Amino acid sequence: MQGNYALQCINICDEWEQDAISGETGKITFSQFKSFSADVFNASYIKLLFVGDFEESDVVEGYEKIMQTTNSLSIPLIQRMDPQVHCIDAGYYIHTITDTNLKGKNNAVISYIYCGSVDSAQETALSLILAKMMAPEYLYYLRTVEQLGYVVSCNQKQYSVGQNIISFRVEGECNPMYMAMRINNFIAKFGQALPSYDENKLTSLVKAVVNSLKESPLSISGECDSYWKHIKNNSYGFDRSNRLVAALNTLTRSDLVSFFNKYLNPKTSPRYTRMESHVWSANACYAPSFSQIAEYPESVIALHGCLYRDGATDLTIDDVNHIVSSAVCNCNSLKKAAGSLADVLVNRVQNKGVQDKISKDGSQSQAALHMAIAQKVDSFCYSIPDGRNFSNIGMKQNPNGIWLIADAHRFKQTQPMYGHPIPERQFSPKY
């Protein structure tokens, strides 16, 4: 929850983390409070929704009575402000948080990959189907096969306006950097298998989603909610479900492959945008400093964390980085480099239990070992060629081009807002 809320605060312009609010509470004076209270109750903004079997004349009459009773005036269109969501600059960002729950032992990673505009029915449909395709496989591999934790989920997320988001979440005892890299590993493998995804399964999935969108509300309150959410965000997109159904009915597997490569594959995406929250337990046995996260590749931090958790507490992160670099320089293949690294680590670590885990197939230390070698050989960088430089607000970029957020509030103030502050859509319905 803490990681999700942190990302929400960065994405929505008028959301603030609790510590920021608490820091200002003590500065409030009684006179300020009285003035604020008067403004709130003297300038309320009321939205009305009539749901039911009404004639137009009944609605107009009800509206006029309410306006007279509340002594209200209609607000001009120009003052009906859209919700403001930040349009995150292209790049890969990590926001590190220490869990405030002093009894908790689990770490967590919440990763948002931004993929297309909510205003586009086609991109919304593609992100929705892609998230539903990935969700069961993501749960199976990260929870059942790799056993990273019990809280594992993948879904599509939106902030009503702005961009579609595919969210990946995992909570467990492993260090967040390792869990984030296993998310990367899953996404990469899914992308490789996507061109051969079963057409019948895809057709069935699309049909199920279309049927769910066509379902009528089960109650009058449900019908009210279906309209109200579009009124609250000023989109008035009451035909959104119909537009999504139309887009879903024309969706093909090749569309999904193109969409994946455009937004979710960092090696092919022209504007890869990803925001990640790493929540470290207050009781974690291993937690690198901000400067260490900036200095070393994420795979080295992941490997060092796994080795430390397994009992290799005498190895420093600098030792691990040097051993990884040496193994790659001295071997001409990925397999040989991984074998060489494993041998060196086994010789350096005197603990028999740790030696067994390094050598054991399927162990987290061995998986981290292979990731460290693969990343060193691949040397892929997430930097956007024309991307912004955030060094002047205290952020640092790690060796692979990932920006580390030092102060979420300062970073938030650098981000542009999505869309226009004044609605450009025709106000509808009529009343």
Side-chain angles (χ1 to χ4, degrees):
M1 290 296 292
Q2 190 175 350
N4 271 325
Y5 185 65
L7 292 184
Q8 178 177 311
C9 289
I10 292 175
N11 279 275
I12 301 178
C13 69
D14 54 356
E15 289 276 356
W16 295 98
E17 291 185 1
Q18 193 61 46
D19 59 344
I21 297 172
S22 301
E24 296 297 319
T25 304
K27 303 176 185 178
I28 298 173
T29 64
F30 183 68
S31 60
Q32 288 175 328
F33 182 75
K34 284 177 63 178
S35 175
F36 176 77
S37 300
D39 289 341
V40 167
F41 294 110
N42 287 335
S44 297
Y45 178 17
I46 302 171
K47 291 188 177 184
L48 299 177
L49 173 63
F50 290 86
V51 178
D53 187 15
F54 295 107
E55 294 290 337
E56 184 173 323
S57 58
D58 296 330
V59 174
V60 173
E61 183 181 352
Y63 162 76
E64 289 176 345
K65 284 183 178 179
I66 292 172
M67 295 291 285
Q68 291 171 4
T69 302
T70 58
N71 193 27
S72 301
L73 297 174
S74 297
I75 296 179
L77 175 62
I78 195 171
Q79 293 184 22
R80 296 187 178 108
M81 305 296 286
D82 279 350
Q84 293 294 285
V85 175
H86 287 115
C87 186
I88 304 299
D89 287 319
Y92 187 168
Y93 308 91
I94 292 179
H95 180 32
T96 302
I97 306 168
T98 300
D99 191 2
T100 54
N101 179 8
L102 300 179
K103 295 182 179 180
K105 293 183 178 180
N106 281 352
N107 302 308
V109 171
I110 299 92
S111 183
Y112 286 2
I113 299 181
Y114 299 83
C115 42
S117 172
V118 172
D119 294 334
S120 167
Q122 183 183 30
E123 292 193 322
T124 301
L126 286 165
S127 64
L128 175 62
I129 292 298
L130 200 57
K132 288 187 176 295
M133 289 167 64
M134 299 174 85
E137 296 186 28
Y138 179 76
L139 178 68
Y140 174 72
Y141 283 108
L142 269 70
R143 178 176 172 177
T144 306
V145 177
E146 300 200 9
Q147 297 184 353
L148 289 187
Y150 284 103
V151 182
V152 177
S153 63
C154 168
N155 52 64
Q156 185 209 43
K157 185 178 181 66
Q158 297 173 339
Y159 287 114
S160 299
V161 294
Q163 297 164 291
N164 293 297
I165 298 168
I166 295 184
S167 170
F168 300 89
R169 179 184 179 188
V170 59
E171 294 182 24
E173 294 184 4
C174 296
N175 68 81
M177 204 63 80
Y178 175 82
M179 292 192 287
M181 293 202 70
R182 296 317 293 170
I183 292 174
N184 293 348
N185 185 66
F186 166 79
I187 294 172
K189 287 187 175 181
F190 181 88
Q192 292 169 3
L194 184 58
S196 58
Y197 191 86
D198 188 278
E199 289 278 13
N200 293 327
K201 286 178 63 178
L202 177 58
T203 301
S204 298
L205 177 60
V206 171
K207 184 178 179 181
V209 173
V210 167
N211 289 339
S212 68
L213 289 170
K214 287 182 175 181
E215 287 180 358
S216 300
L218 299 177
S219 63
I220 189 104
S221 62
E223 183 179 0
C224 179
D225 289 342
S226 68
Y227 289 108
W228 192 245
K229 64 183 180 181
H230 298 297
I231 293 175
K232 284 197 298 183
N233 64 27
N234 284 356
S235 69
Y236 305 102
F238 304 115
D239 63 339
R240 181 175 183 274
S241 293
N242 293 333
R243 290 188 291 111
L244 273 178
V245 167
L248 286 165
N249 286 331
T250 62
L251 184 148
T252 66
R253 187 172 62 187
S254 61
D255 292 333
L256 288 165
V257 173
S258 299
F259 185 82
F260 181 92
N261 289 328
K262 182 178 180 180
Y263 292 111
L264 279 86
N265 185 349
K267 295 184 177 180
T268 58
S269 173
R271 307 293 294 174
Y272 186 72
T273 309
R274 177 171 174 172
M275 179 76 68
E276 213 159 68
S277 180
H278 289 193
V279 183
W280 293 79
S281 167
N283 301 308
C285 64
Y286 169 80
S289 65
F290 182 81
S291 60
Q292 287 176 327
I293 297 174
E295 182 179 354
Y296 297 98
E298 58 272 25
S299 59
V300 169
I301 296 172
L303 175 57
H304 185 229
C306 289
L307 292 171
Y308 194 98
R309 181 168 173 247
D310 285 342
T313 55
D314 57 329
L315 280 174
T316 68
I317 191 169
D318 194 55
D319 291 334
V320 174
N321 186 51
H322 178 72
I323 293 170
V324 171
S325 298
S326 298
V328 172
C329 290
N330 297 331
C331 299
N332 57 8
S333 73
L334 189 65
K335 185 176 181 180
K336 286 182 179 179
S340 173
L341 176 56
D343 291 340
V344 174
L345 288 173
V346 167
N347 291 332
R348 283 288 303 271
V349 177
Q350 301 302 315
N351 187 313
K352 182 66 167 59
V354 179
Q355 292 175 343
D356 291 341
K357 288 178 180 177
I358 294 172
S359 305
K360 181 182 177 182
D361 291 338
S363 70
Q364 290 176 354
S365 285
Q366 191 178 83
L369 181 152
H370 283 278
M371 288 193 300
I373 291 293
Q375 188 178 59
K376 196 75 174 178
V377 172
D378 186 32
S379 66
F380 176 74
C381 185
Y382 289 96
S383 290
I384 305 296
D386 59 343
R388 296 178 67 183
N389 189 324
F390 298 97
S391 301
N392 61 334
I393 59 169
M395 290 174 59
K396 294 184 178 180
Q397 204 168 23
N398 85 343
N400 296 313
I402 299 175
W403 280 106
L404 309 175
I405 299 175
D407 185 327
H409 307 307
R410 295 184 72 183
F411 171 74
K412 178 177 177 175
Q413 292 170 357
T414 69
Q415 297 303 291
M417 292 184 183
Y418 183 87
H420 305 279
I422 299 174
E424 292 186 335
R425 294 178 294 276
Q426 181 65 36
F427 183 57
S428 62
K430 187 174 181 180
Y431 301 104

